[in-house]
Amino acid sequence: MKRKNFFRKRLPAFVMTLLLLGSTVPAAAAADSQAGEDARTMSAVQTFQASGTTITYEVDPGDEVYFDWEDFDQFFSSSYVQYVEFDVSSGDYNDVDGYLCIDSDRVSDVDDINDAQFYSDRVDDEDDYDYPIDDLSFEAWDDFTDTFEIEFRAYDEKEERVEGKVVIESTETHSSSSSRGEIVYEVDAGDEVTFDRSDFNDVFQEEYDDYTLRYVVFDPDSDYSSADGAIYYDYGYSDEASFSRSRLGNYEFYYSDSDYGDYPLRDLSFVAGNDFDEELSIDFRAYYSNSRYVDGTLVIKPSGRSSSSSRGDITYEVDAGDEVYFDSDDFNDFFQEEYDNYELRYVVFDPDSDYSSADGAIYYDYDGRNETSFSRSRLGNYEFYYSDSDYGDYDLDDLSFVAGDDFDEDLSIDFRAYYSSSRYVDGTLVIKASGSSSSSGKADITYQVDPNDEVYFDRSDFNDFFQEEYDDYSIRYVVFEADSNYTSADGTLYYDYGYSGETSFSRSKLSNYKFYYSDSDYGDYALRDLSFVAGRNFDEAVTLSFRAYYSNTRYVDGTVRIEPTGSSSSTSSLKANILYTTTTGKAVQINANDIARFYSAAYPNYQLQYVKLDGVPSLGSLYYNYYSASKYGTTQLRLTASNCGSQLLYFSPTSTSQYSLSELTYIPGGTNYCVTVPFTAYGSGSTSVKGTILISVTPTLISEVYGVTPKGNSVNFPSSSIYASVVVSTGSSMASIQLLSLPASNVGTVYASGTSLTRADTSTLYTYTSGTSSISQLRFVPATGYTGSVEIPYVAYSSNGTAIGAGKFCLGVVSSIRQFTDMTSSTWCYKYVTELSDAKVIDGYTDGTFRPNNTVTYGQALKLIMLAAGYPAQAQTGSHPFSGYLSRAQKDGLVSGSINLDTPITRLAVAQIAAKAMKLSTSGLSSVKPFTDTSDPYVQALNAAGIVEGYFSNGTSTYKPYNTLTRGQISAIVWRMERAL
């Protein structure tokens, strides 16, 4: 049949341009609020010819193949093909064993084609052209065994054109498809197996992943005629049609659009005869168009030979006389251990005789209006669907096992989890009598509250605790159980306290409800709106047991303790291997180099390859390619808990189909909070390391608290200054802080009790009020002889235990404190200049000034960079004060050519000299370039080391290589150099 056309869904313009050009201006995402990802720009397509502009059609001898306008349309990225002109060689045409035809009329004179314009379905006025592209065909003679080529010019509505060629090949000698897939179905004798159209599309997309199958043609051999069975359409219904060998090959079976075939593929099935006992193979060809198809083989096996070798367990536990629900996700997770790119469709159970004698039964909608119980014989007759009722009789999520009062022996039930008849996994469901737990996790969450005050439960505390046991899952809901102390406590748990939905929970009521983490399908009340309201005489701690669930087989038991403020130190499990701070509404660009350095700290001799996200922030939104400016992966995609782990984020992607680690952007969703992004970084040599990104969002950035102290002197944390910084930024009171990291032992030690008896840790919440675990009791003691910089990041918490922002307490440990008359502690570069001057790297002027806003010269920069990189001071070799540094730099290859030491130095030259002086490698860098305005490898190496940044705006990061620098700006670069060495 001759198929009609339809308007296909177009690929994004940038994807199609990549298919044409194969190259763009490469760029990447840089670090923080100053540096980020680049804008990606593309050259306009004017006239282009490459191997990618060849259209290949294949035809059997004695058959005809039609041209398809959409095959020409593929070459235009942001427009549609309007018309095509052909250039048929008369010599080649006279020699070919076949004819070109227009609307089935044979063409004798090539000028009839060469002088015509063939239009697509997208033109506005067909009268402006001669013939539809789809009316052009090639009719092959019986002896056509060669190749025939025709040059073409395709034009869009702007008269921009693409040149290429159409290649018509004989099936006798050529094949345009390199892929042959296999689909396997299994059927019992006398039974039916339905074809799953998705299986054919999956085979097709292994070759053409950007296209969807349109139709399938079968080519049965003589074995089909002798097989005990046949293929049917609509078997058992009013339109039933059977296909003999000769009939089967004459039809096209469409995937979804009836314009592309005679019968729907989804209604085909194979009906086996009573003596069906031999495997049957049928060749097929799956088409998108005449030039895009894949050959495959359909194999139909008699039952007894299984295409799945996987077997495993799902375990539920239930008390006698109680009920346990089945969780459909448990079955899907088990299925995806075998087929991770597919989602379960339905489950079939196969109970044995133990089920009949068990003290209990499986129910659908137990105690509900549609309650249905399943005996052994009935259970095996139904299909239980995962999410789509088209694939079964009952919803798997509404199944439960109801145990009798004497249920005391484990029950095992075999099952088969299906995607299709050829993709399934066998497993065993085990229902255990209570007495043994599938969870070994146990830990505490602690909140403090003043009398007559309220403290909110932080849902992330429960999720973090749960993920200590199951780091690849997020909590779904929590169930609490209060003991007798709750009844006598002067305080009560509330939902939505003080608002219209206010609900209080007595001890008996509390255990009856589920408190969901984010999705209301999993509970009765939102966990984030749960709080404890303390009475006037609240002076004794209350302990609640809880169970945090992902599913009935994945849960963790724990205890939450609510205690009067000051009764003991609280703790937090918040972690941060990488810290970003931003202001309300301002995007954060995740820096791939930050993760690379974190990975390298764990595996110095290996190379980061890719990262997998293990979760998403609980507030705000995390996006891939937020600005839609990247050539890698996909267009803008919001990452969620369900999809964040499905894509590997490559540090150095090797193709545009791979997702780039540089394209993650966080968009805040409120203010005064901290969120985390857990991840796993994978590298060469099968190495991996888990980490956490912490993002702080506040109205203004929390100011860094900085002080200078002589070496050997211990320093108490300035609690008032830390408190003031937090309050000024957040507008909220601070109750405590948690230290996110501690100095290395060769730098110094932080003690928590004002003595050298108790070391500080990164889990305790140190309170602003006085006490043994207060901020004022924290004390830093430098290591013997140490001078340099100390940075201690922290998270600030409110009185209800909520993280409201992150800041840093920093110290400069110096041999002596040098003062410059034009700088104070509030000068932005004070820290850098103070510590570098103590290290004898930087000097001021003889009048006692530093002049931070003066432009730095080539000679000054050369000296600073070389001293920071470990070079000794260089004696003058000429009349210029910096001549000795220039001589040494030229000798070591740091610079070349004629240098004027008194001219301002550029940012590009600084990066080149610094990277060479530090001996940074330019190999192993990401294929994603960090800046749009320079591809210099030394700039990229220095950026990868975290020493230089760029200027980020709306998806574009620039370095501004030819800008000059001030003395203050270069002091920041040189300070980072010293820390990196």
Side-chain angles (χ1 to χ4, degrees):
M1 62 175 287
K2 186 164 185 291
R3 293 171 303 282
K4 301 175 184 177
N5 292 294
F6 80 120
F7 297 155
R8 65 176 171 84
K9 183 178 180 182
R10 299 181 59 79
L11 287 176
F14 81 93
V15 176
M16 294 307 303
T17 303
L18 288 176
L19 292 174
L20 270 177
L21 299 180
S23 64
T24 64
V25 178
D32 53 19
S33 58
Q34 286 186 326
E37 70 176 0
D38 307 291
R40 278 72 173 169
T41 58
M42 294 192 176
S43 303
V45 180
Q46 298 296 331
T47 300
F48 181 82
Q49 183 166 1
S51 60
T53 51
T54 296
I55 298 171
T56 302
Y57 294 124
E58 188 174 276
V59 62
D60 293 324
D63 207 347
E64 183 179 17
V65 61
Y66 276 87
F67 288 37
D68 189 331
W69 75 269
E70 289 183 342
D71 292 330
F72 297 88
D73 188 55
Q74 66 177 299
F75 303 122
F76 292 93
S77 61
S78 57
S79 58
Y80 291 93
V81 64
Q82 295 294 296
Y83 66 95
V84 178
E85 296 174 340
F86 295 95
D87 186 4
V88 183
S89 165
S90 58
D92 291 344
Y93 190 58
N94 291 333
D95 292 338
V96 71
D97 293 324
Y99 275 110
L100 288 168
C101 301
I102 299 176
D103 197 20
S104 300
D105 294 331
R106 292 182 177 180
V107 176
S108 300
D109 188 348
V110 296
D111 288 340
D112 291 343
I113 290 180
N114 293 344
D115 294 339
Q117 291 180 334
F118 294 82
Y119 59 87
S120 76
D121 281 14
R122 298 311 299 263
V123 298
D124 294 327
D125 189 351
E126 297 177 356
D127 293 337
D128 291 341
Y129 308 95
D130 299 296
Y131 308 106
I133 295 172
D134 290 5
D135 279 355
L136 187 60
S137 64
F138 179 78
E139 182 181 316
W141 297 347
D142 291 340
D143 53 355
F144 177 66
T145 59
D146 208 344
T147 297
F148 178 45
E149 296 184 0
I150 307 170
E151 294 183 357
F152 73 82
R153 295 174 300 279
Y155 296 84
D156 68 3
E157 61 268 26
K158 301 175 183 177
E159 289 296 318
E160 294 179 353
R161 76 182 186 190
V162 173
E163 296 180 358
K165 61 183 178 181
V166 175
V167 178
I168 301 172
E169 298 179 342
S170 170
T171 56
E172 294 296 309
T173 55
H174 297 280
S175 174
S176 64
S177 175
S178 60
S179 173
R180 174 167 285 275
E182 186 175 78
I183 298 171
V184 180
Y185 294 131
E186 190 174 288
V187 63
D188 293 323
D191 207 348
E192 176 191 19
V193 59
T194 302
F195 293 8
D196 191 326
R197 63 177 183 171
S198 297
D199 293 334
F200 292 86
N201 190 48
D202 292 339
V203 168
F204 176 79
Q205 289 187 329
E206 288 175 8
E207 181 79 5
Y208 299 108
D209 57 357
D210 289 330
Y211 295 85
T212 299
L213 169 70
R214 284 175 170 169
Y215 63 96
V216 172
V217 174
F218 293 96
D219 184 19
D221 61 15
S222 58
D223 290 342
Y224 181 79
S225 301
S226 59
D228 187 27
I231 290 177
Y232 280 80
Y233 163 73
D234 203 32
Y235 180 72
Y237 294 92
S238 58
D239 294 326
E240 178 183 304
S242 64
F243 297 97
S244 63
R245 178 190 175 190
S246 59
R247 290 190 68 218
L248 182 61
N250 289 334
Y251 294 103
E252 294 168 351
F253 299 88
Y254 60 85
Y255 179 70
S256 59
D257 189 334
S258 59
D259 284 347
Y260 290 103
D262 307 288
Y263 295 94
L265 187 58
R266 67 179 300 165
D267 291 331
L268 283 193
S269 63
F270 180 82
V271 180
N274 292 329
D275 298 320
F276 180 69
D277 58 3
E278 291 188 5
E279 185 176 296
L280 173 63
S281 295
I282 305 171
D283 290 337
F284 67 84
R285 180 167 285 179
Y287 285 90
Y288 173 81
S289 67
N290 287 328
S291 63
R292 286 190 176 86
Y293 58 81
V294 175
D295 292 324
T297 303
L298 170 65
V299 179
I300 302 172
K301 294 182 176 183
S303 288
R305 287 170 285 180
S306 173
S307 61
S308 173
S309 60
S310 177
R311 190 163 188 89
D313 289 332
I314 296 172
T315 302
Y316 294 129
E317 187 174 295
V318 63
D319 293 322
D322 208 347
E323 177 188 19
V324 59
Y325 272 92
F326 293 10
D327 191 324
S328 62
D329 287 326
D330 293 334
F331 292 84
N332 187 49
D333 293 340
F334 173 60
F335 174 80
Q336 290 185 329
E337 291 175 8
E338 181 80 7
Y339 299 108
D340 57 355
N341 291 323
Y342 296 86
E343 185 176 81
L344 171 69
R345 284 177 170 167
Y346 63 95
V347 172
V348 175
F349 293 97
D350 184 19
D352 61 15
S353 57
D354 290 341
Y355 181 80
S356 301
S357 59
D359 187 26
I362 290 177
Y363 280 79
Y364 167 76
D365 195 32
Y366 180 70
D367 217 13
R369 184 174 59 183
N370 298 313
E371 178 183 303
T372 305
S373 64
F374 296 97
S375 63
R376 177 190 175 190
S377 59
R378 292 189 69 215
L379 182 61
N381 290 334
Y382 294 103
E383 294 170 351
F384 299 88
Y385 60 85
Y386 176 63
S387 59
D388 189 337
S389 59
D390 286 345
Y391 293 104
D393 307 290
Y394 295 94
D395 190 340
L396 186 57
D397 254 341
D398 289 331
L399 283 193
S400 63
F401 180 82
V402 180
D405 292 336
D406 298 321
F407 181 70
D408 58 2
E409 293 186 5
D410 294 350
L411 173 64
S412 296
I413 305 171
D414 290 338
F415 66 86
R416 181 169 283 181
Y418 285 91
Y419 172 81
S420 67
S421 299
S422 62
R423 288 188 174 89
Y424 58 81
V425 178
D426 293 324
T428 302
L429 169 66
V430 178
I431 301 172
K432 290 187 172 184
S434 286
S436 61
S437 173
S438 63
S439 172
S440 60
K442 190 77 175 175
D444 289 331
I445 297 171
T446 303
Y447 297 117
Q448 287 192 340
V449 62
D450 292 322
N452 274 335
D453 207 348
E454 176 187 20
V455 60
Y456 273 92
F457 285 18
D458 189 332
R459 63 178 183 172
S460 62
D461 293 336
F462 293 85
N463 191 48
D464 292 341
F465 172 57
F466 174 82
Q467 289 184 331
E468 291 177 7
E469 182 81 7
Y470 299 107
D471 57 356
D472 290 332
Y473 297 84
S474 290
I475 189 176
R476 284 177 169 166
Y477 63 94
V478 174
V479 175
F480 293 95
E481 183 173 345
D483 60 16
S484 56
N485 290 333
Y486 179 75
T487 305
S488 59
D490 188 24
T492 305
L493 278 175
Y494 281 84
Y495 165 75
D496 202 31
Y497 180 71
Y499 295 92
S500 58
E502 179 181 305
T503 305
S504 63
F505 298 97
S506 64
R507 178 189 175 191
S508 59
K509 283 182 65 181
L510 181 62
S511 60
N512 292 333
Y513 296 103
K514 297 175 181 177
F515 298 87
Y516 60 85
Y517 180 68
S518 59
D519 188 337
S520 59
D521 286 345
Y522 292 104
D524 308 289
Y525 297 96
L527 184 59
R528 66 180 299 167
D529 292 328
L530 193 62
S531 64
F532 180 83
V533 180
R536 182 174 57 186
N537 299 315
F538 180 67
D539 57 4
E540 291 187 7
V542 174
T543 300
L544 305 172
S545 298
F546 68 84
R547 180 169 283 183
Y549 285 90
Y550 171 81
S551 67
N552 287 327
T553 59
R554 289 187 175 90
Y555 58 81
V556 178
D557 293 323
T559 303
V560 60
R561 176 183 170 89
I562 304 138
E563 58 189 24
T565 299
S567 62
S568 69
S569 61
S570 298
T571 62
S572 172
S573 59
L574 202 61
K575 296 179 178 64
N577 304 109
I578 298 168
L579 173 63
Y580 295 103
T581 58
T582 190
T583 54
T584 307
K586 188 170 184 179
V588 174
Q589 197 68 23
I590 307 300
N591 188 350
N593 291 322
D594 292 337
I595 299 177
R597 289 193 295 274
F598 167 71
Y599 168 84
S600 294
Y603 298 103
N605 299 319
Y606 294 86
Q607 181 74 33
L608 174 64
Q609 294 176 335
Y610 61 88
V611 168
K612 180 180 178 182
L613 298 183
D614 299 324
V616 294
S618 55
L619 291 174
S621 301
L622 186 65
Y623 286 90
Y624 179 84
N625 195 12
Y626 177 73
Y627 301 97
S628 296
S630 174
K631 69 177 182 180
Y632 297 104
T634 185
T635 52
Q636 186 189 97
L637 172 66
R638 183 177 180 181
L639 299 174
T640 64
S642 61
N643 70 15
C644 69
S646 63
Q647 293 297 339
L648 304 182
L649 302 168
Y650 287 88
F651 177 64
S652 185
T654 58
S655 71
T656 56
S657 63
Q658 292 182 338
Y659 284 55
S660 172
L661 182 58
S662 64
E663 307 304 335
L664 293 178
T665 305
Y666 173 72
I667 305 299
T671 194
N672 288 346
Y673 67 89
C674 293
V675 290
T676 58
V677 183
F679 65 88
T680 305
Y682 296 86
S684 55
S686 300
T687 57
S688 66
V689 59
K690 288 185 176 295
T692 302
I693 298 168
L694 187 144
I695 303 171
S696 163
V697 183
T698 50
T700 61
L701 295 180
I702 297 177
S703 299
E704 179 182 289
V705 177
Y706 179 74
V708 181
T709 184
K711 68 178 181 180
N713 280 17
S714 62
V715 178
N716 282 83
F717 279 44
S719 58
S720 296
S721 297
I722 293 173
Y723 180 86
S725 292
V726 173
V727 171
V728 168
S729 169
T730 65
S732 300
S733 296
M734 181 192 78
S736 58
I737 66 170
Q738 173 198 358
L739 306 182
L740 291 174
S741 65
L742 295 168
S745 58
N746 64 331
V747 174
T749 305
V750 178
Y751 293 98
S753 61
T755 69
S756 58
L757 298 177
T758 305
R759 293 175 183 264
D761 57 48
T762 56
S763 60
T764 298
L765 298 185
Y766 297 100
T767 62
Y768 178 59
T769 57
S770 60
T772 56
S773 294
S774 64
I775 300 171
S776 59
Q777 290 290 308
L778 293 173
R779 184 167 58 93
F780 172 74
V781 179
T784 303
Y786 176 78
T787 59
S789 186
V790 181
E791 286 192 356
I792 304 172
Y794 64 85
V795 170
Y797 289 82
S798 64
S799 58
N800 64 8
T802 300
I804 58 175
K808 287 182 182 179
F809 169 50
C810 300
L811 283 170
V813 182
V814 298
S815 299
S816 61
I817 302 175
R818 177 149 181 206
Q819 300 288 345
F820 294 101
T821 58
D822 58 347
M823 293 184 65
T824 67
S825 59
S826 61
T827 304
W828 77 269
C829 57
Y830 175 79
K831 174 170 72 173
Y832 311 129
V833 174
T834 299
E835 294 177 22
L836 289 174
S837 63
D838 182 67
K840 312 302 182 189
V841 171
I842 204 166
D843 286 322
Y845 291 87
T846 55
D847 63 358
T849 61
F850 181 75
R851 305 176 193 175
N853 296 323
N854 279 16
T855 301
V856 68
T857 66
Y858 209 111
Q860 292 169 337
L862 200 57
K863 175 185 175 181
L864 292 175
I865 292 169
M866 293 176 69
L867 291 178
Y871 279 85
Q874 302 294 313
Q876 276 186 231
T877 57
S879 59
H880 200 285
F882 302 118
S883 57
Y885 291 94
L886 178 58
S887 298
R888 182 63 183 271
Q890 290 172 328
K891 177 185 176 183
D892 289 358
L894 305 185
V895 297
S896 60
S898 178
I899 302 295
N900 184 340
L901 294 172
D902 293 321
T903 59
I905 193 168
T906 64
R907 284 169 56 83
L908 175 61
V910 166
Q912 291 171 334
I913 297 168
K916 293 175 184 178
M918 295 176 70
K919 297 181 172 57
L920 296 180
S921 174
T922 56
S923 63
L925 297 173
S926 172
S927 59
V928 183
K929 303 302 178 186
F931 306 112
T932 58
D933 55 355
T934 179
S935 58
D936 187 274
Y938 296 108
V939 174
Q940 186 175 359
L942 212 61
N943 174 254
I947 296 169
V948 293
E949 299 169 348
Y951 302 87
F952 180 78
S953 176
N954 292 327
T956 300
S957 186
T958 57
Y959 181 67
K960 301 183 180 179
Y962 300 108
N963 279 16
T964 58
L965 299 95
T966 65
R967 285 168 55 80
Q969 288 170 334
I970 200 167
S971 69
I973 292 174
V974 172
W975 182 85
R976 294 189 197 110
M977 285 178 60
E978 279 220 318
R979 285 176 59 84
L981 289 169

